[in-house]
Amino acid sequence: PDVPKPDGRAVPRCRCGLAQKQRYAERMSGPVLDRIDLFAAVIDLPSDSTERSDLSPAALSDRVANTAGLLRNRLNGYLPGEWPATEIESWLKRNRIEPRSFAPRGLVMSLRSRHKVAAVAQTLAAWDGADQPQSRHFEEAACLRPEALGFG
């Protein structure tokens, strides 16, 4: 479902100006934003668009299920959103990974953001079929954080 905007309309019909949207976004507190795993822009493609996925809905569903199964095997039965902070920290230390080092320049991440980046990087790696997250997965995950997009 669409998220209501300041004028109460759904996203596609929102008539708010950029300044009004920014004021609305700034009212969201840091602790609330910190609990959001990622922000992603979603655009509505025209029905005649040639930019379509090569995957059928059934194939996409299978890929999601396979990725979830791979993640449960990797993360001791957890999905990334369920992955306990203690296990994330152990995994990061064991693999000598510092997610903050992949953050866009000048971005300061909280401990929760660090954990969210690690979890999203795991998901991106599993989706790509990689055995472990690579630097590109951490970089992409860090760029999807609210603070990387100017929120908070």
Side-chain angles (χ1 to χ4, degrees):
D2 291 326
V3 177
K5 287 298 181 191
D7 64 3
R9 296 173 187 265
V11 174
R13 296 180 304 278
C14 181
R15 295 186 182 130
C16 299
L18 181 60
Q20 188 176 4
K21 289 178 185 178
Q22 286 174 329
R23 279 194 306 276
Y24 182 73
E26 288 168 2
R27 289 191 301 180
M28 293 180 70
S29 70
V32 170
L33 289 171
D34 208 26
R35 285 167 174 74
I36 299 172
D37 289 357
L38 54 92
F39 272 44
V42 178
I43 58 170
D44 189 19
L45 294 174
S47 60
D48 62 344
S49 173
T50 58
E51 297 182 44
R52 300 258 178 227
S53 171
D54 292 337
L55 295 175
S56 69
L60 184 58
S61 179
D62 288 346
R63 187 168 177 191
V64 168
N66 290 338
T67 299
L70 180 62
L71 286 164
R72 283 199 188 277
N73 288 335
R74 269 189 206 167
L75 306 178
N76 300 323
Y78 297 104
L79 288 174
E82 305 163 343
W83 201 15
T86 53
E87 291 201 25
I88 295 172
E89 284 300 315
S90 295
W91 179 79
L92 290 169
K93 284 180 185 172
R94 194 170 49 251
N95 291 285
R96 296 187 180 114
I97 298 169
E98 177 49 66
R100 290 182 189 129
S101 66
F102 299 106
R105 192 168 197 184
L107 180 67
V108 177
M109 287 197 296
S110 67
L111 184 62
R112 179 173 280 128
S113 287
R114 168 186 161 99
H115 293 168
K116 298 290 187 179
V117 166
V120 172
Q122 281 281 7
T123 304
L124 294 170
W127 184 259
D128 285 349
D131 292 332
Q132 288 293 323
Q134 307 299 312
S135 61
R136 64 188 166 92
H137 298 119
F138 283 98
E139 289 165 2
E140 184 176 353
C143 287
L144 294 171
R145 292 292 303 145
E147 56 271 24
L149 298 171
F151 293 94

